[in-house]
Amino acid sequence: QVQLVESGGGLVQPGGSLRLSCAASGDIFNVQTMAWYRQAPGEQRDLVASITTTGSTFYADSVKGRATISRDYAKNTVYLQVDSLKLEDTAVYYCNAGIQRFSDRVISSYWGQGTRLTVSE
């Protein structure tokens, strides 16, 4: 069994900063690309940022220049730092990772339960 657990959401004022964390645990042989998605009310879930095993990163235009994704390979943890927060950053943020299980070497995509970020005055 594999779990992804996010943390770090909350209420932040516009212009503020926030750091989200997501830790993978359980039956893990290796972790491939890790990513953050977000879903605003009434909207589809969109990719925010991703980071590969070699450290290559991708950012959505909506957060480019304001967000930094990083990972701790030893801890199977991915982080998302977002600065200069805007009202439109309000959403539930989900962690996603491609993980190869130790028990059967099967690679699957896993999701966390989500953490809510609200940007408001």
Side-chain angles (χ1 to χ4, degrees), residues 19-117:
R19 189 192 197 206
L20 305 177
S21 301
C22 171
S25 63
D27 183 20
I28 297 173
F29 182 68
N30 70 66
V31 181
Q32 301 180 336
T33 296
M34 302 187 82
W36 287 95
Y37 288 73
R38 69 185 182 187
Q39 187 168 20
E43 303 289 333
Q44 65 182 18
R45 189 175 298 187
D46 293 324
L47 176 64
V48 177
S50 65
I51 183 166
T52 68
T53 55
T54 59
S56 295
T57 58
F58 166 84
Y59 296 96
D61 288 343
S62 58
V63 299
K64 198 170 292 182
R66 301 189 295 121
T68 303
I69 188 170
S70 60
R71 63 191 286 180
D72 184 325
Y73 294 87
K75 295 181 179 179
N76 290 328
T77 299
V78 63
Y79 306 95
L80 182 69
Q81 172 83 26
V82 186
D83 302 317
S84 302
L85 283 164
K86 304 176 180 180
L87 297 177
E88 52 264 41
D89 291 320
T90 295
V92 177
Y93 284 71
Y94 296 91
C95 175
N96 173 264
I99 294 176
Q100 185 175 29
R101 292 196 296 259
F102 185 86
S103 58
D104 57 11
R105 300 299 196 264
V106 171
I107 300 172
S108 300
S109 178
Y110 292 88
W111 291 89
Q113 81 287 352
T115 184
R116 185 176 301 277
L117 167 61

